[in-house]
Amino acid sequence: MINIGVIGYGYWGPNLVRNFAELEGANVAAVADLDPKKLEVVKRRYPSAKVTTRVQDLLEDPSIHAIAVATPVNTHYELGMAALRAGKHLWVEKPMTETIEQGNELVEEAQKRNLVLLVDHTFIYTGAVRKMHEIVKAGELGKMLYYDSVRVNLGLFQRDVNVISDLAVHDFAILDFLLGEHPVAVSASGINHFPGTPENLAFITLFYDSGLIAHCNVSWLAPVKVRQILVGGSKKMIVYDDLEPSEKLKIYDKGVSFTDDPAQIHEMRVGYRTGDMWAPKLDGTEALRVEGEHFVDCIRNGKTPESDGRFGVRVVELIEAATNSMRSRGETVYVRRDPNDRRQARMPRRRYDRGSPIPTAIRSK
Ligand SMILES: NC(=O)c1ccc[n+]([C@@H]2O[C@H](COP(=O)([O-])OP(=O)(O)OC[C@H]3O[C@@H](n4cnc5c(N)ncnc54)[C@H](O)[C@@H]3O)[C@@H](O)[C@H]2O)c1
């Protein structure tokens, strides 16, 4: 039995506790929150779980094997490090940390102590994203051309993080999972319409060496909720609408082809192909359930989580790069080839020459 202690029972923590409580081979041993009222709710729902306002009680409890941190981002590093130093496996909410350096320190600490470190990027454990991954990996889309996401709604305005950290974080994780490729540069624009609050709207573009371009439109200021991603390949294209109750994923056998027939040199040499559309069957298991089972499996069998600490750091780097670009009015920010490589942290990042167009394949050597 893997005994799990959860820190933070605000908005997201209850989802973790509910899923961990239902997992075979796992047990919610204790929940810590600074707010005693939240702990009253835990006591009613899970009478066998210990509750405490002191995180230290969880760290000092030798029966607890793993700790899940579901508190605001600015506490992730400190609480995560304390959990690892106490010898506990760690589940930490997205985004992993505020900075790349903090994230890398958690990765090193977990490695040193041979502990599992999973960053909760829930989307990559959904049936829809896993099916997309399967399709992309099988090469069904052909050459990957673009990823275009709209993730907007009214609220929830956050006090401590901007909209990139709150919403685009999901796209950065999905992109990393689907492509297995890290972008080379990021450019973003955004604004805070309300003085003294974090940016509430942003448009982010990510450039990849392979020629793929990704765009994410994220906002807390939209009248309707939209969760739609288009993924375009040279052979097929995907439309993923997360708000669709069924048929979230639709695969379109559509594309274009260009002829290089010299006889047609003065004509538009493009052919449009429109074939069938199909909606694959998706695994409807709740993502947190899949992820929880994966976490327990990694602890039991010494496996590395799919969203491990290195994955988490790559996402943090993109949040940082996009935020820096947004705050310098869209200036292109080059990202490290391998954000987990500390030597690269000391290398000056190349700056984009504003006068020249961005080449299709930019390299940041
Ligand atoms: N994976 C996802 O899809 C997803 C979705 C929503 C939120 N999150 C993440 O979950 C985390 C928490 O977000 P939230 O919306 O639940 O926040 P929240 O503010 O609603 O809840 C945080 C809780 O942590 C408690 N807390 C804060 N500091 C503490 C400490 N030092 N010790 C004990 N308790 C402490 C607070 O009292 C509060 O109850 C964030 O990192 C957020 O990004 C992830």
Side-chain angles (χ1 to χ4, degrees):
M1 189 60 81
I2 304 290
N3 288 324
I4 306 177
V6 178
I7 306 178
Y9 199 76
Y11 164 69
W12 196 246
N15 294 325
L16 298 186
V17 174
R18 175 173 53 79
N19 276 280
F20 291 152
E22 286 171 8
L23 279 186
E24 213 174 292
N27 170 47
V28 178
V31 176
D33 198 294
L34 296 176
D35 181 353
K37 283 205 203 95
K38 302 214 166 114
L39 297 175
E40 287 299 320
V41 181
V42 180
K43 251 200 258 178
R44 273 201 307 277
R45 289 185 186 159
Y46 308 95
S48 67
K50 290 181 206 155
V51 293
T52 175
T53 52
R54 291 180 67 247
V55 167
Q56 206 57 30
D57 292 341
L58 270 59
L59 302 177
E60 287 167 2
D61 185 340
S63 72
I64 291 180
H65 306 106
I67 296 234
V69 175
T71 51
V73 185
N74 62 4
T75 62
H76 288 183
Y77 170 72
E78 197 186 323
L79 292 173
M81 187 56 93
L84 292 170
R85 287 191 176 145
K88 317 289 187 195
H89 300 285
L90 178 64
W91 167 303
V92 61
E93 271 313 313
K94 64 84 192 160
M96 181 183 187
T97 45
E98 288 182 294
T99 67
I100 305 169
E101 285 65 30
Q102 290 176 341
N104 276 327
E105 280 182 35
L106 291 185
V107 169
E108 280 168 18
E109 193 67 26
Q111 256 167 7
K112 203 167 76 188
R113 295 174 181 270
N114 216 8
L115 292 166
V116 171
L117 166 51
L118 178 144
V119 184
D120 179 14
H121 285 294
T122 319
F123 264 97
I124 73 157
Y125 298 93
T126 59
V129 173
R130 296 186 90 73
K131 178 58 83 178
M132 280 210 282
H133 181 244
E134 214 178 285
I135 292 168
V136 168
K137 230 178 139 192
E140 280 186 50
L141 300 191
K143 181 175 160 45
M144 299 291 289
L145 302 176
Y146 66 85
Y147 173 104
D148 186 5
S149 166
V150 182
R151 199 176 289 279
V152 302
N153 47 267
L154 197 63
L156 297 169
F157 274 75
Q158 308 281 314
R159 270 166 299 154
D160 55 336
V161 294
N162 65 36
V163 72
I164 295 175
S165 182
D166 186 44
L167 295 180
V169 60
H170 296 305
D171 291 300
F172 298 162
I174 294 171
L175 278 161
D176 191 293
F177 183 60
L178 287 186
L179 306 174
E181 185 187 358
H182 201 55
V184 284
V186 177
S187 169
S189 312
I191 191 163
N192 64 335
H193 288 103
F194 312 99
T197 64
E199 292 86 351
N200 54 276
L201 186 155
F203 307 104
I204 307 136
T205 309
L206 303 110
F207 302 91
Y208 290 79
D209 237 355
S210 61
L212 179 127
I213 189 162
H215 186 262
C216 313
N217 166 357
V218 286
S219 168
W220 293 326
L221 202 56
V224 291
K225 183 168 178 171
V226 183
R227 293 285 186 271
Q228 195 176 60
I229 298 172
L230 308 183
V231 183
S234 58
K235 289 188 189 152
K236 287 183 187 159
M237 301 181 189
I238 298 179
V239 178
Y240 167 23
D241 187 342
D242 197 42
L243 302 185
E244 272 279 332
S246 60
E247 301 184 356
K248 286 182 189 293
L249 223 57
K250 295 193 175 108
I251 321 296
Y252 288 82
D253 185 8
K254 291 191 178 192
V256 294
S257 56
F258 288 84
T259 63
D260 45 11
D261 179 357
Q264 297 178 25
I265 195 88
H266 300 300
E267 292 169 26
M268 186 69 171
R269 298 163 297 163
V270 56
Y272 297 95
R273 185 172 45 74
T274 60
D276 292 339
M277 181 278 285
W278 60 288
K281 187 169 159 32
L282 304 178
D283 181 353
T285 314
E286 187 177 349
L288 277 179
R289 175 72 179 253
V290 175
E291 193 174 355
E293 281 169 3
H294 179 51
F295 184 52
V296 170
D297 180 39
C298 288
I299 293 173
R300 284 233 180 82
N301 302 306
K303 294 184 186 165
T304 304
E306 288 188 88
S307 53
D308 67 352
R310 297 168 72 85
F311 186 108
V313 171
R314 293 198 294 275
V315 172
V316 171
E317 191 198 27
L318 296 184
I319 294 172
E320 202 179 287
T323 299
N324 287 341
S325 172
M326 175 172 68
R327 291 181 183 163
S328 51
R329 294 175 185 253
E331 185 172 326
T332 300
V333 173
Y334 283 86
V335 295
R336 292 172 204 160
R337 222 145 234 270
D338 177 4
N340 303 119
D341 182 348
R342 283 191 174 224
R343 284 166 308 178
Q344 292 194 24
R346 287 193 291 274
M347 278 162 48
R349 294 183 187 188
R350 277 186 14 165
R351 285 166 68 89
Y352 170 58
D353 171 6
R354 284 174 200 238
S356 58
I358 298 173
T360 47
I362 29 184
R363 291 175 191 284
S364 59
K365 289 223 173 84

